[in-house]
Amino acid sequence: MIHSPLLPHLAGYINDRWISADAGKRQDVVNPATGEKLADVPVMGAAETRRAIASAKRALATPADAATRRRWLTAIRDALLEQQQEIGRILCLEHGKPWKEAQGEVQYAASFFDYYAPLAETATAPETLPGKVKDCIWTLYKRPVGVVGLITPWNFPIAMIAKKIAPALAAGCPSLIKPAPDTPLTMIALFQIMADRLDLPKGMVNLVMGDAAQIGGELMHSPDVAMVSFTGSTAVGRLLMQQASPRVKRLGLELGGNAPFIVLDDADLDAAADGLMINKFRGAGQTCVCANRVYVQRGVYDAFAQKLVERVSKLKVGDGMKDGTDIGPLINANGYAKVKGHLADALDKGATLLTGKQPDALNAGDGLFFTPAVIGNVDDTMQCCQEETFGPLIPLISFTDDDEVIRRANDTEFGLAAYVFGKDRARSHRIIAQLHFGHCAYNTGTGPAAIAPFGGMLSSGLGREGGREGLMEYIEVQTVPDGSH
Ligand code: ADP
């Protein structure tokens, strides 16, 4: 069991009060590294969601001024940094990621509050357009869209909510937040911080957890919820779009990816291998931005494969709480089965295992720890290239020229992240210009940052998180032409 000063309440939070499920039902939260129960949390449903929406609606009626909203954000940033160790510990225990990564995630989350704090004042101020048009002076008023529903996944339990709640609070939107069932404890800790440290109006932030379909259904059908921001699977994203249509509800969707990582023949191969290691193995490969298909130009394929195998075979898999762990466990048995299935499918279809374990040898007493694998001789028809693997498996695919790799990299319905490594900047940027991915990194494996808008093209989603664009998702612009001058 987990004991933490940030978790005196294992409960939801509605209208400024810690709340259990109406029916009293609870579910276990398990440490994926050890299989031990950490805690149990309420399983809430439609009725609690309706109450949370009503309380958020009341908060909307008493808006806070911009300076107050800015203060909220800086207070959360400061509290996250002060409590970094403890939040990181909770995160590490319920998610399994290595201690250092968990600590880094808390800092990353704090960077969103830091970035949006001043924008709470400047970006929401009315804006008068220069000159007169149609004999009017035009002013744009920036209003909060209204009550928002924020649904998050388990892979970044604190960062994913930071990307949503920081701009929501900056814009003045009350929210109802639903964490993923595997990782609700980090979210409860964040609510404890907000309850302790902030003077938020009643109902400004609400926490509801439990039956996803019921909670999601209420959020989508309620006329009092203006927008839902969701990060998760494409399947659920599609469902939410259907449910949004009757009310033409605003949606922010950050869905699946199938990221190509392209190594050109003029690339610095060590830099590319190092970039791939950081990119791929963060969160044990359970991130939507991590490389899913690694395309290596034929002339450097063998050399790159060797450098990669050297690095991957040294990785230490283990409990994220232990010193020296590079990769933690996968989140649950379904996640494990998917990665193993992709490995088996590729080997059956002719791929070769360059490092890692054969599928038959996996999971024998390993719990959820998956031995990182690199496979060569991969082609695009294999499952690991068609779907997001979400685990520590790197497929290497060789290609001949730039046109071919552009065509193959783009041969997916997804468009979230891509990576290009090559020394000739003009050549690499010609490639980037033709890739349909929202985040296209050059000579780095880095993911998003608070200052930059991040989001997917095509089936990877709608809207942006981070940057000014991420704030505008929560703002309704009202245009007022004034003819009285
Ligand atoms: P994953 O497969 O990575 O768990 P999901 O899309 O299932 O991705 O989950 C992401 C988030 O969406 C979680 O908080 C989950 O509980 C929630 N979710 C799942 N189904 C629904 C639904 N029908 N409506 C709203 N949220 C949902």
Side-chain angles (χ1 to χ4, degrees):
M1 293 293 275
I2 191 166
H3 297 285
S4 168
L6 291 178
L7 297 173
H9 306 280
L10 293 168
Y13 191 79
I14 299 175
N15 203 33
D16 233 2
R17 290 183 53 207
W18 293 99
I19 304 280
S20 295
D22 289 357
K25 208 170 144 197
R26 299 184 74 80
Q27 72 184 31
D28 289 351
V29 183
V30 173
N31 179 342
T34 61
E36 281 164 12
K37 174 176 169 176
L38 289 170
D40 51 53
V41 297
V43 179
M44 298 170 153
E48 297 90 334
T49 309
R50 282 196 294 272
R51 289 207 299 280
I53 294 171
S55 112
K57 189 182 173 189
R58 287 193 295 276
L60 193 61
T62 51
D65 61 31
T68 305
R69 301 199 305 273
R70 178 180 188 153
R71 231 183 24 250
W72 294 340
L73 270 79
T74 47
I76 299 176
R77 175 202 62 195
D78 293 347
L80 285 178
L81 294 176
E82 278 167 35
Q83 300 283 344
Q84 180 188 316
Q85 289 262 327
E86 185 56 12
I87 300 170
R89 186 179 76 89
I90 296 168
L91 203 166
C92 186
L93 284 168
E94 69 175 347
H95 177 284
K97 63 179 66 181
W99 176 265
K100 244 173 88 177
E101 268 185 44
Q103 298 292 326
E105 186 183 332
V106 183
Q107 289 173 4
Y108 178 51
S111 75
F112 283 86
F113 295 96
D114 186 59
Y115 172 74
Y116 281 116
L119 291 186
E121 290 195 78
T122 54
T124 61
E127 186 185 338
T128 301
L129 302 180
K132 275 191 179 183
V133 174
K134 292 187 166 180
D135 214 23
C136 295
I137 290 178
W138 297 66
T139 303
L140 310 182
Y141 288 104
K142 319 281 177 65
R143 298 181 164 184
V145 291
V147 172
V148 295
L150 310 177
I151 303 175
T152 58
W154 48 262
N155 60 347
F156 290 99
I158 191 78
M160 292 297 167
I161 189 57
K163 290 179 173 201
K164 298 182 194 299
I165 196 174
L169 286 174
C173 297
S175 57
L176 182 153
I177 293 165
K178 194 202 97 52
D182 287 308
T183 55
L185 301 177
T186 309
M187 191 74 83
I188 295 174
L190 172 66
F191 268 76
Q192 187 64 46
I193 283 177
M194 293 194 291
D196 285 348
R197 302 277 192 113
L198 270 63
D199 53 349
L200 289 175
K202 266 189 183 173
M204 192 67 197
V205 293
N206 300 276
L207 174 62
V208 174
M209 62 194 88
D211 187 318
Q214 280 191 31
I215 298 168
E218 286 299 323
L219 286 173
M220 298 316 295
H221 294 129
S222 168
D224 295 325
V225 176
M227 166 186 169
V228 170
S229 174
F230 167 83
T231 301
S233 63
T234 302
V236 174
R238 288 200 169 100
L239 173 72
L240 297 179
M241 275 193 94
Q242 283 171 3
Q243 293 176 332
S245 75
R247 297 195 183 278
V248 197
K249 193 162 290 201
R250 196 188 271 223
L251 279 179
L253 299 177
E254 209 264 78
L255 308 177
N258 184 355
F261 188 105
I262 299 170
V263 184
L264 299 170
D265 56 7
D266 63 343
D268 174 335
L269 297 186
D270 284 304
D274 290 340
L276 179 56
M277 294 300 290
I278 295 167
N279 168 277
K280 179 65 187 181
F281 294 110
R282 184 184 298 123
Q286 303 172 109
T287 71
C288 50
V289 293
C290 74
N292 202 52
R293 301 169 285 154
V294 178
Y295 290 100
V296 189
Q297 198 155 9
R298 213 169 288 281
V300 295
Y301 180 91
D302 288 336
F304 182 75
Q306 193 188 343
K307 287 179 187 296
L308 190 64
V309 166
E310 270 168 25
R311 288 162 169 80
V312 173
S313 53
K314 285 191 195 128
L315 289 173
K316 261 184 78 182
V317 185
D319 187 335
M321 293 291 285
K322 297 213 170 110
D323 270 355
T325 294
D326 298 308
I327 297 187
L330 297 185
I331 190 72
N332 55 34
N334 285 343
Y336 196 98
K338 184 171 189 195
V339 189
K340 187 172 165 181
H342 280 193
L343 176 62
D345 171 78
L347 297 180
D348 280 353
K349 290 177 178 158
T352 42
L353 185 65
L354 303 179
T355 183
K357 282 189 185 170
Q358 288 290 339
D360 288 350
L362 279 167
N363 213 7
D366 285 351
L368 294 172
F369 298 106
F370 195 102
T371 306
V374 180
I375 48 177
N377 203 24
V378 171
D379 74 59
D380 298 332
T381 64
M382 297 172 184
Q383 269 175 20
C384 60
C385 291
Q386 297 284 322
E387 300 165 20
E388 195 171 34
T389 300
F390 239 59
L393 167 67
I394 299 184
L396 295 180
I397 311 152
S398 69
F399 71 92
T400 307
D401 61 39
D402 296 2
D403 287 343
E404 179 196 340
V405 80
I406 292 165
R407 182 177 47 74
R408 292 172 75 180
N410 277 338
D411 188 17
T412 168
E413 65 167 310
F414 296 107
L416 195 59
Y419 305 85
V420 178
F421 276 76
K423 282 203 183 114
D424 179 344
R425 169 177 290 271
R427 176 189 177 196
S428 291
H429 278 264
R430 259 195 316 274
I431 294 173
I432 287 171
Q434 294 176 75
L435 294 175
H436 59 54
F437 297 84
H439 175 93
C440 227
Y442 172 52
N443 282 343
T444 172
T446 197
I451 57 161
F454 172 81
M457 297 182 182
L458 306 174
S459 305
S460 286
L462 290 177
R464 293 292 181 265
E465 290 189 320
R468 275 178 177 265
E469 290 81 353
L471 176 56
M472 292 313 291
E473 301 276 324
Y474 294 86
I475 286 176
E476 199 73 88
V477 178
Q478 186 181 44
T479 307
V480 181
D482 183 343
S484 63
H485 298 270

